[in-house]
Amino acid sequence: MLHSVRSHPSLLFLCVANSARSQMAEGLARQLLPQARVQSAGSAPTRVNPLAIEAMAELGISLTDQASKSVNDVDPATVDLVITLCAEEVCPLFLGEAERLHWPLQDPDRKHEALTHEERLSHFRVARDEIRRRILALAAERGWQA
């Protein structure tokens, strides 16, 4: 159950750089849960990864208006549910009373691997599709309109 009396969920997706997983989750949740308030942030924000933008564009979802944000800039009063997406990294901490879920997903940006553009993009597609699956499952479980 959400901790607030808001009629629509307020979600915060977190990962370290707020460049790929949490950005894709924000874009997907905005599309799949239009009644929800959706935010994303990171502990060391950088920029929205061009491959995340490309992978999301394949689904008709634009991330071009999104920007990487610091978790420190998120007002805890605006969040009912925090979903961390880190796997091998240390996830950002979020202070507040929000419910927490952890969806460990490997960072699709395999910077230290010698991969072609298509191979790199494939990792973003896998992460995108898994995040989409989990958002839909969460919406069904919670009775949210998706």
Side-chain angles (χ1 to χ4, degrees):
M1 279 290 131
L2 296 175
H3 287 88
S4 79
V5 294
R6 280 191 271 268
S7 59
H8 302 298
S10 179
L11 310 175
L12 172 63
F13 293 97
L14 291 179
C15 66
V16 175
N18 189 221
S19 65
R21 290 164 291 188
S22 55
Q23 290 288 344
M24 290 190 294
E26 180 179 349
L28 285 161
R30 285 185 195 282
Q31 182 195 57
L32 298 170
L33 304 170
Q35 76 287 2
R37 176 183 174 134
V38 182
Q39 302 176 78
S40 70
S43 54
T46 56
R47 63 172 175 54
V48 181
N49 189 302
L51 288 166
I53 293 169
E54 186 175 347
M56 294 299 290
E58 292 176 349
L59 298 183
I61 299 172
S62 175
L63 300 186
T64 56
D65 291 338
Q66 293 180 202
S68 295
K69 299 162 289 298
S70 171
V71 66
N72 297 325
D73 295 334
V74 176
D75 178 359
T78 66
V79 180
D80 298 319
L81 177 61
V82 176
I83 300 173
T84 51
L85 301 162
C86 313
E88 62 280 349
E89 329 84 329
V90 175
C91 282
L93 291 176
F94 181 73
L95 301 177
E97 298 299 314
E99 178 185 359
R100 287 161 169 73
L101 291 177
H102 181 58
W103 296 350
L105 297 171
Q106 184 176 8
D107 187 350
D109 191 15
R110 312 284 173 81
K111 296 180 195 87
H112 305 295
E113 295 179 25
L115 302 171
T116 66
H117 176 80
E118 189 59 32
E119 288 168 332
R120 288 187 188 289
L121 184 57
S122 175
H123 290 296
F124 281 81
R125 289 177 179 135
V126 167
R128 174 200 69 199
D129 294 346
E130 179 60 17
I131 292 166
R132 184 178 189 280
R133 184 193 69 74
R134 291 183 189 206
I135 289 171
L136 289 171
L138 179 66
E141 172 189 305
R142 305 276 172 120
W144 297 339
Q145 289 290 92

